[in-house]
Amino acid sequence: MDHCGFERSLMSLTTTRRGFIKGGAGLSLAAAASLYMAGCSGSTGEGKVLRYGCANPKVSLDLQTNTSNEIGVAESICEPLIRFNEKLEMEPVLLTKMPEISADGLTYTFELKDKLPVHDGSNLTANDVKFTFTRMFLPSTKNPSTNVYDTIVGAKDVMDGKTEELAGLTVQDDTHFTIVLESVQAIFLPMLTEFYALIYPEAACKAVGDSWGTGTNFVGTGPFKLTAESPTGLTLETFADYHGGPAKIDGIEVSYVDDPNTLVMNYKAGQIDLCNLAPSLYDQYVDDEEVAGSIVAYTPASTRFVNLNLHEDMFKDPRVRQALSLAINRDELVNTVLQGASTACSQFCAPGEEGHDDSLETLAFDPDKAKALLADAGVSGLAFDFPVRSRDEAVATALQEYWRNIGVTANISIMDDGMWVDQRAAGALPCTLITWTTLCWIGAEHMRSFFYSSKASQRSSFYDSPTFDSLVDEAEATMDAAKRTDLTLQADNQLVNVDFGTIPVDWPQTPYLKDEDFSGIYRVYDFKFTNQLA
């Protein structure tokens, strides 16, 4: 796909957006280039550097201690054993081949590539893999994301502080190891692709202790090496000894810009080559000739839905919940309010994830039936509070109007992100909008992580369906993909069309701007900077 809007000529000269820089913009670019070249050696890309603008995550790159990896940089420095490629196919990264799985689904056998080079001159071995997974469970790590990984035999004993020996991961030699699970987990392999499972070199990690993830001592096997870090950004140099062959550029310059609109203006000025386009700005820039041709659409496995607190008396009758769903014209909403930067929901599971059915039609819009259901339920003059975060205000306002048309009043209030999170956890939000994303592209886990009875009670939902719980349990316990997909579809239907336990609205896109001079960049939730970058 070609992406470039503001391209060609100026005073009969052919140029690109990247070369059209004036005044202060030119000075800023020169400063960035100077910062990069100061830390660059062994270049392979003839001076070509990707300039990436993003918000400052303000957290460590150690993704065992936090869950913020939206900028994608940590995965270009350290790597998981396997990953999803741009076709959403799992492929080996640090392994010679995909792991073998025993007939009972409990034992995974791995073979690492031999003598994997690390940025500090050492080599990664199977002992580093065991160190990484053991560290994941140590109480001192305070890892917030051990779900599914904790089914490795012995993981819970490590988490409980009973031992520091992870019994279920056995190293045979430098390149061979096995992992044994307590129970069959169909999503275990996809979970190994996630940034929570990046493999860390033991010696380097231990040498810096609690500072791991900050500064240039954060090293790994990835295609890019961190050479500079400051409050304003990062400098990464192409790793010449990368096990898959070096990237065809010299490095990546990451500039922190917190304001989404400023990011776009910097892109237009030719100061950066890649940045996210905030969905709230899509309408503003989709027809801007300077950037419209650079917009790349990306739909993650994310679902935006109306979360109803089923402990509230007004939402206990499923007819009321169904009526609220039928009142929504999803196709109109995504084409007008969201300017096409989204897809109307036909179920909960998003396109691309296991359990999505492309043949399903958009969830029904039938306001007359909605009114009839409310009348049948003996409900009139229904009104409720509808607190949302500012990012969801436009969609909430559209829903408010749809519901007004069936005689329902939703009182919108805008809530601070921190307060919203606290209120949701306390079960205090009567009705709100939530966007929920899965990183493993497995629909059963996507739904389980929010709507399973033990989870929903923590998220202002309180959905409690033994049928739904049983279906996702059975789905995740089978290694038969076709059976798992069928069970996931059944669970999705139970949630959305039988119990009306939630109201899916749309599958949001997360568009971004990319200069056409660069290739080999793709997204699976976050940006993937691999050795294919050119």
Side-chain angles (χ1 to χ4, degrees), residues 404-432:
R404 186 190 66 78
N405 291 335
I406 63 168
V408 172
T409 301
N411 300 308
I412 296 173
S413 61
I414 306 304
M415 188 173 286
D416 168 80
D417 280 21
M419 181 178 293
W420 182 91
V421 170
D422 290 342
Q423 291 291 299
R424 190 192 70 177
L429 298 180
C431 176
T432 192

Side-chain angles (χ1 to χ4, degrees), residues 244-267:
K248 296 177 177 61
I249 65 170
D250 283 343
I252 303 172
E253 191 67 42
V254 182
S255 300
Y256 292 147
V257 179
D258 289 340
D259 179 64
N261 195 54
T262 302
L263 275 174
V264 180
M265 298 307 293
N266 287 356
Y267 182 87

Side-chain angles (χ1 to χ4, degrees), residues 319 370-380:
R319 291 171 294 183
K371 292 175 184 177
L373 282 167
L374 290 175
D376 187 49
V379 174
S380 62

Side-chain angles (χ1 to χ4, degrees), residues 318-327 370-371 373-374 403 406:
R319 291 171 294 183
V320 172
R321 306 196 294 267
Q322 183 180 6
L324 293 175
S325 180
L326 287 168
K371 292 175 184 177
L373 282 167
L374 290 175
W403 290 334
I406 63 168

Side-chain angles (χ1 to χ4, degrees), residues 303 305-308 310 348 434 436 444-457 459 461-465 468-469 472 491 495-496 501-504:
T303 304
F305 57 95
V306 178
N307 188 58
L308 300 172
L310 302 188
F348 186 85
I434 293 176
W436 199 249
E445 179 60 21
H446 192 184
M447 293 185 291
R448 171 198 283 276
S449 62
F450 196 97
F451 296 107
Y452 198 81
S453 55
S454 61
K455 302 287 186 181
S457 63
R459 311 194 193 284
S461 166
F462 298 101
Y463 176 63
D464 188 354
S465 168
F468 172 84
D469 286 0
V472 295
L495 171 67
V496 175
T502 193
I503 303 175

Side-chain angles (χ1 to χ4, degrees), residues 43 62 98 130-131 163 204 208 306 451 471 474 515:
S43 62
D62 177 6
M98 291 296 288
K130 178 154 189 175
F131 163 78
T163 180
V208 296
V306 178
F451 296 107
L471 286 166
E474 192 175 352
D515 191 291

